Amino acid sequence: MSTTVEASHHSGTGENYLTAGYGLKSWLMTTDHKRIAILYLLSISLFFVIGGLFAVLIRIELLTPAGDLVSADSYNKLFTLHGLVMIFFFLVPSIPAVFGNFLIPIMIGARDLAFPKVNLASWYVFTIGGLFTFAVVLAGGVDTGWTFYTPYSSTYSKTAVGLTAIGVFITGFSSILTGLNFVVTIHKMRAPGLTWFRLPLFIWAHYATSLIMLLGTPVVAISILLVFLERVFGIGIFDPALGGDPVLFQHLFWFYSHPAVYIMILPSMGVMSELIACFCRKRIFGYSFVAFSSLAIAVLGFLVWGHHMFTSSQSIYAGMVFSILTMMVAIPSAVKVFNWAATMYGGSISYETPMMYAFGFLGLFTIGGLTGLFLGALGLDVHVHDTYFVVAHFHYIMVGGAIMGYLGALHFWWPKMFGRLYPEAWAKLSSIVIFIGFNLTFFPQFLVGYLGMPRRYHVYPDEFQIFHVLSTAGASILAIGYAFPVVYLIWSLVRGEKAGPNPWNAKGLEWTVPSPPTTFNFDETPVVTEEAYDYSRPVEGKVV
Amino acid sequence: MFSNFQIFPEVASSMASKVDAFYFFMIGVSLFFFTLVVLLVTVFAIKFRRKSEDETPKPILGSLKLELIWTIIPFILSMVMFAWGAVLYFDMYTPPADAMNIYVVGKQWMWKIQHPEGNREINELHVPLGTPVKLIMTSEDVIHSFFVPAFRMKMDVVPGRYTTAWFEATKTGEYHLFCAEYCGTEHSEMIGTVYVMEPGDYQDWLERSAVASKSMAEEGAELYSQLGCNTCHEQETGARGPSLVGIHDRQVQLMTGELVKADDSYLRESILSPVSKVVAGFAPIMPTYKGQVSEEDVLKLIAYIQSLSYETAPSDIEATESERTE
């Protein structure tokens, strides 16, 4: 892209956002979007490790049909906390709060987000929500499942539901603040010449995600607050014994929590477009179709919540409406996958680590998406609903899709964020280990799900054991795969080769500035004169 | 270690083979698209791999024709999936008129089941082969879900309302019954066994396992007089409450002018929350029986009301008819 900034002026000249200030205060009081991204990176990495440890205990428990490692109550708390931590404290903030924060201003040629202080506030709100979650663990845990179904959560559970509700309520606001900031920034702060249809698809995906965050999160916050009010003050909203309607909660909860799935996957789709364009050296095939499919997913995603409730006693005709809309939300996802595949046609494809994750994403997300159709199809969902089939499906989307995208992003932009390269061979190896471990963990769960193994079972009949043994074996491999990057990425901070501004020879404004970028990103506002991913024009700061 | 290993669940109900046929169709379509994507990505990744560092591929903007193809074909297929699934779903939740009723009450953490003949069981369900069975279910506490994988049947069991589901067993044997909706500590032990028996064996079982010789309706009749229902719900005109003879599953007109079907749910609501839907021509004076009768008692009362058909009390037909037209 044509900008007035010459990247080479800056490389090696010292000052960047990391060295702009030292000491804890310079980090805790920062309003620099890049530093806030790093704060989020540290926080969510901690939560990922905690959520992962819960998963490890769950998988070890399920190795045998009997409940021999932990008690039934402990098991119920483990899967509840695993879900809560992974969804609200890792997946929802993951790509937006780390890479969205870091990259959106740079990608659109801005110095920062529209509201830098609001951005910092969102991290503090997130941290306070996180502290509540730690308090929940200290208070003995919570056992409602991350779904908080009433009247179990509002009346019957004897665990720390109130504290958890407050934690989730508070954390929701960090996501609302982030979404608000992104929407305003993308509307108002684009560099001259950067029209909507010149934006990187990463920005489009985050725009769609932010709309869902803004419109959906308040609903889950209110629903959880209502559970809290019923539980603490006995106000009858959901418990039929108090004159309430327990199924009403499911409507309110899924009105947010289904779109929340798209909060988790859309940013990952945005990452895919960046990775595939860069490592194929091509403009994304059907750019505008990929851009609009993100918006279509965001809009349709709000109209399909009832597909979680086909066996809930919801009217069968309502079920039919939700089923047909669910089928329709699959179309824009299919359009994206085909466009990515078509982008590869006639490209110049290289297999660096981020592209390995893109390949992994394409395969796993396709399986996750297709099995979603099984669940959206009424007559089939009745059998597989609330079984391991569902567990397998959403892990293919959440881990196979969202986390593959997150790791792809981490490996793609790591050199930009820290100015260092990681050892490519180790990174590639770990991407393969993760891919194998993931499939071995979750594919058997489709089979045991169709056999009838229900979710959230602490003990189970003998005939399901072999599938759980395979799953646990896979999870062990997956855990090793996740451990690699922790080691080599930290190692790279100290010993890694200097990255230079554009190690991948990629297009995009973020690759025209030094690695790591300076505090204000650009010395002068860049002027954009070309389309996104125009690899037919010379790449700036090219590594020769 | 891995005794009785299976890869596919038992097929033991009229619905099971239909669901499986749909499942195989879905697997077929999925395999096609998955193979297509993997093949495209693999072939392109190999064919168009970077051969030299300074390659500049020719940009391709896109193709409206291709976009339409990969929008319209998946759309059509997804509508086939919708329609097929919807037809199955409709059948699953539309019990045949001649189905026999079985009553289910879920509670933390057991299944309590009663047959119309009066037989009770816990965490076991005996049913005859080849007979449609309709389950009328409710919960005493939290939401549960009645799931029999071999029948491909599942329905949530919700406190405060009746839910129904049905199946027709097609193969004798013993099958898992699971609670599929997380319901607290011992959720994974809220399990049981469904025994599908030859109809003759089922009759033997009914006789063998009968504790008292009373049917559910007879037990309901006893409750009916114990609770004093008969003092108001008399069968002649001018009584304080409407006659209940032949009322089950018939339309009644409410004070508000609205017509509602006096089905199980309506009768339950009228016992536990009598003033919410009062029949036209009567004053809202009935006290609530909430807390005085258990969910199982309510089911017995309903079984009794259901048994009050015109045939058993022919002399009352006229009275009821005139009342209804008022």
Side-chain angles (χ1 to χ4, degrees):
Chain A
M1 283 189 198
S2 171
T3 73
T4 50
V5 177
E6 272 304 314
S8 50
H9 287 183
H10 296 277
S11 32
T13 56
E15 185 107 323
N16 59 52
Y17 80 99
L18 290 169
T19 56
Y22 293 93
L24 201 57
K25 198 182 160 206
S26 77
W27 282 90
L28 294 180
M29 299 302 282
T30 185
T31 51
D32 181 346
H33 64 101
K34 299 179 290 300
R35 284 192 160 215
I36 295 167
I38 303 300
L39 292 176
Y40 264 116
L41 177 64
L42 292 172
S43 319
I44 69 164
S45 300
L46 175 66
F47 281 113
F48 183 71
V49 171
I50 295 170
L53 287 175
F54 292 137
V56 167
L57 291 172
I58 291 170
R59 284 307 339 157
I60 296 174
E61 168 60 62
L62 292 175
L63 201 50
T64 59
D68 29 26
L69 178 71
V70 295
S71 69
D73 277 326
S74 306
Y75 180 81
N76 296 340
K77 289 171 185 171
L78 283 173
F79 73 69
T80 300
L81 287 165
H82 169 69
L84 278 173
V85 168
M86 285 301 201
I87 289 169
F88 293 113
F89 295 96
F90 178 72
L91 284 166
V92 167
S94 63
I95 295 175
V98 177
F99 300 104
N101 255 335
F102 195 97
L103 293 164
I104 287 174
I106 312 184
M107 279 183 168
I108 66 171
R111 288 170 67 147
D112 207 317
L113 287 172
F115 309 116
K117 287 179 183 165
V118 171
N119 195 20
L120 181 65
S122 92
W123 180 75
Y124 276 101
V125 171
F126 177 79
T127 304
I128 295 166
L131 290 176
F132 268 93
T133 304
F134 286 126
V136 168
V137 176
L138 293 178
V142 61
D143 75 340
T144 58
W146 81 279
T147 46
F148 295 103
Y149 269 23
T150 54
Y152 183 71
S153 63
S154 61
T155 308
Y156 290 85
S157 173
K158 293 180 183 67
T159 56
V161 181
L163 208 54
T164 314
I166 300 171
V168 170
F169 181 82
I170 293 172
T171 310
F173 284 90
S174 78
S175 168
I176 294 171
L177 295 178
T178 301
L180 178 74
N181 222 337
F182 286 178
V183 168
V184 176
T185 305
I186 295 168
H187 268 279
K188 305 302 290 182
M189 298 181 68
R190 284 170 286 124
L194 189 55
T195 61
W196 282 92
F197 289 96
R198 282 177 177 174
L199 285 172
L201 289 161
F202 181 86
I203 303 289
W204 275 98
H206 274 78
Y207 185 77
T209 306
S210 304
L211 291 180
I212 305 175
M213 285 174 161
L214 268 176
L215 298 173
T217 317
V219 179
V220 77
I222 292 163
S223 324
I224 299 287
L225 188 67
L226 291 176
V227 169
F228 180 83
L229 292 177
E230 178 163 295
R231 192 175 168 86
V232 177
F233 302 108
I235 299 169
I237 298 155
F238 303 124
D239 186 353
L242 302 169
D245 179 351
V247 179
L248 173 65
F249 175 79
Q250 297 177 26
H251 283 286
L252 293 173
F253 179 80
W254 290 115
F255 181 81
Y256 163 78
S257 294
H258 191 76
V261 172
Y262 299 111
I263 292 181
M264 299 179 240
I265 196 68
L266 274 169
S268 191
M269 291 170 156
V271 170
M272 283 307 122
S273 295
E274 301 303 310
L275 300 186
I276 290 169
C278 170
F279 294 98
C280 296
R281 285 193 184 163
K282 273 189 75 219
R283 185 183 155 88
I284 291 290
F285 189 93
Y287 170 96
S288 53
F289 288 90
V290 178
F292 278 117
S293 63
S294 287
L295 292 182
I297 288 171
V299 172
L300 284 171
F302 272 111
L303 305 174
V304 300
W305 76 88
H307 69 210
H308 295 267
M309 301 168 61
F310 289 156
T311 68
S312 71
S313 78
Q314 164 183 259
S315 136
I316 58 174
Y317 301 102
M320 288 179 191
V321 173
F322 284 121
S323 174
I324 203 165
L325 289 164
T326 301
M327 293 299 168
M328 282 159 72
V329 80
I331 308 296
S333 298
V335 166
K336 279 180 191 283
V337 170
F338 287 121
N339 278 297
W340 288 325
T343 303
M344 293 174 68
Y345 179 83
S348 164
I349 303 170
S350 67
Y351 312 138
E352 274 100 343
T353 306
M355 191 61 183
M356 299 295 284
Y357 283 108
F359 287 133
F361 175 98
L362 284 174
L364 302 182
F365 176 73
T366 301
I367 295 178
L370 288 166
T371 51
L373 293 170
F374 287 55
L375 297 166
L378 292 155
L380 194 49
D381 177 69
V382 169
H383 176 58
V384 287
H385 175 70
D386 271 336
T387 68
Y388 266 74
F389 193 94
V390 178
V391 177
H393 157 72
F394 70 70
H395 281 91
Y396 264 83
I397 298 289
M398 302 287 81
V399 184
I403 297 187
M404 284 288 172
Y406 176 78
L407 290 172
L410 191 63
H411 286 84
F412 188 52
W413 285 294
W414 183 265
K416 176 55 60 188
M417 295 169 92
F418 299 102
R420 302 280 185 159
L421 296 172
Y422 47 81
E424 177 67 21
W426 280 101
K428 211 173 267 180
L429 175 68
S430 80
S431 74
I432 294 167
V433 172
I434 288 171
F435 183 81
I436 294 170
F438 171 81
N439 281 296
L440 186 56
T441 309
F442 293 106
F443 199 82
Q445 297 184 0
F446 284 122
L447 302 174
V448 78
Y450 199 77
L451 266 179
M453 164 97 196
R455 299 168 72 170
R456 299 172 167 179
Y457 262 34
H458 173 229
V459 298
Y460 58 85
D462 290 346
E463 67 257 36
F464 300 146
Q465 187 179 7
I466 182 152
F467 301 98
H468 284 292
V469 170
L470 290 173
S471 236
T472 301
S476 316
I477 297 172
L478 192 55
I480 295 167
Y482 285 146
F484 282 160
V486 176
V487 177
Y488 65 70
L489 288 178
I490 292 172
W491 177 90
S492 79
L493 290 178
V494 189
R495 310 290 296 270
E497 210 183 307
K498 286 248 184 332
N502 193 357
W504 312 115
N505 294 333
K507 281 282 187 177
L509 285 175
E510 79 271 30
W511 302 107
T512 65
V513 300
S515 308
T518 55
T519 300
F520 294 111
N521 305 334
F522 302 94
D523 292 345
E524 288 170 52
T525 305
V527 176
V528 178
T529 56
E530 60 182 44
E531 309 301 313
Y533 320 117
D534 193 352
Y535 281 90
S536 58
R537 301 228 215 157
V539 174
E540 276 188 48
K542 189 166 173 172
V543 182
V544 186
Chain B
M1 189 180 180
F2 304 125
S3 56
N4 50 41
F5 164 74
Q6 298 167 275
I7 194 82
F8 207 72
E10 292 265 16
V11 179
S13 77
S14 55
M15 204 51 81
S17 49
K18 293 181 194 169
V19 173
D20 289 350
F22 184 33
Y23 181 57
F24 291 130
F25 166 77
M26 296 291 294
I27 291 178
V29 173
S30 300
L31 273 180
F32 172 77
F33 280 103
F34 179 69
T35 313
L36 182 70
V37 169
V38 170
L39 217 64
L40 285 176
V41 170
T42 313
V43 168
F44 293 166
I46 294 169
K47 188 152 181 247
F48 302 108
R49 70 187 177 279
R50 192 165 296 169
K51 281 141 200 139
S52 79
E53 270 316 307
D54 45 6
E55 272 177 349
T56 310
K58 231 172 73 193
I60 306 171
L61 287 185
S63 149
L64 182 62
K65 201 160 117 195
L66 278 176
E67 300 291 347
L68 287 175
I69 288 173
W70 60 53
T71 303
I72 292 169
I73 293 177
F75 178 76
I76 292 169
L77 276 169
S78 75
M79 287 304 113
V80 172
M81 292 173 187
F82 160 73
W84 192 337
V87 169
L88 278 178
Y89 185 65
F90 189 83
D91 288 350
M92 279 175 180
Y93 292 117
T94 312
D98 61 341
M100 65 180 256
N101 289 348
I102 287 184
Y103 301 88
V104 177
V105 176
K107 65 169 278 191
Q108 288 176 324
W109 291 277
M110 64 169 78
W111 295 105
K112 298 190 285 187
I113 288 160
Q114 190 164 18
H115 296 246
E117 293 79 3
N119 303 54
R120 276 173 231 258
E121 28 189 350
I122 286 180
N123 294 342
E124 289 190 350
L125 170 60
H126 290 75
V127 290
L129 183 74
T131 310
V133 173
K134 178 182 170 188
L135 302 173
I136 298 161
M137 308 187 284
T138 190
S139 164
E140 283 181 12
D141 39 47
V142 302
I143 300 176
H144 304 279
S145 188
F146 194 96
F147 176 33
V148 183
F151 297 164
R152 314 287 185 272
M153 188 221 95
K154 182 182 290 126
M155 186 67 205
D156 286 6
V157 177
V158 184
R161 68 179 66 168
Y162 289 134
T163 57
T164 57
W166 77 279
F167 60 85
E168 182 181 329
T170 55
K171 192 173 155 198
T172 57
E174 296 173 18
Y175 306 106
H176 286 299
L177 157 63
F178 293 129
C179 176
E181 186 63 72
Y182 174 68
C183 59
T185 308
E186 285 173 37
H187 166 57
S188 65
E189 297 188 61
M190 190 166 163
I191 59 176
T193 309
V194 179
Y195 298 88
V196 177
M197 317 170 90
E198 293 291 346
D201 294 342
Y202 176 69
Q203 286 306 325
D204 290 347
W205 174 84
L206 278 178
E207 280 157 35
R208 218 174 45 242
S209 69
V211 244
S213 51
K214 277 180 224 137
S215 70
M216 267 185 88
E218 285 161 356
E219 290 182 331
E222 279 182 10
L223 272 170
Y224 192 80
S225 56
Q226 267 172 34
L227 294 165
C229 308
N230 50 350
T231 55
C232 295
H233 294 281
E234 286 172 41
Q235 284 154 9
E236 60 263 22
T237 40
R240 274 177 287 178
S243 162
L244 301 178
V245 175
I247 202 175
H248 185 263
D249 269 354
R250 264 220 333 241
Q251 298 277 340
V252 292
Q253 193 173 22
L254 303 184
M255 279 164 83
T256 53
E258 196 186 347
L259 277 175
V260 298
K261 193 172 168 197
D263 56 8
D264 298 335
S265 300
Y266 172 80
L267 293 174
R268 179 185 180 279
E269 188 183 9
S270 298
I271 295 167
L272 299 177
S273 172
V275 291
S276 41
K277 285 174 189 162
V278 178
V279 171
F282 295 94
I285 51 167
M286 177 170 159
T288 174
Y289 284 82
K290 204 180 212 165
Q292 299 180 47
V293 288
S294 67
E295 291 290 355
E296 286 155 284
D297 290 341
V298 175
L299 286 168
K300 286 174 197 160
L301 286 168
I302 292 172
Y304 170 63
I305 293 167
Q306 191 176 0
S307 75
L308 292 175
S309 62
Y310 297 127
E311 289 78 52
T312 56
S315 60
D316 300 313
I317 293 179
E318 234 173 319
T320 334
E321 283 296 321
S322 62
E323 204 175 85
R324 213 160 53 85
T325 49
E326 265 169 30

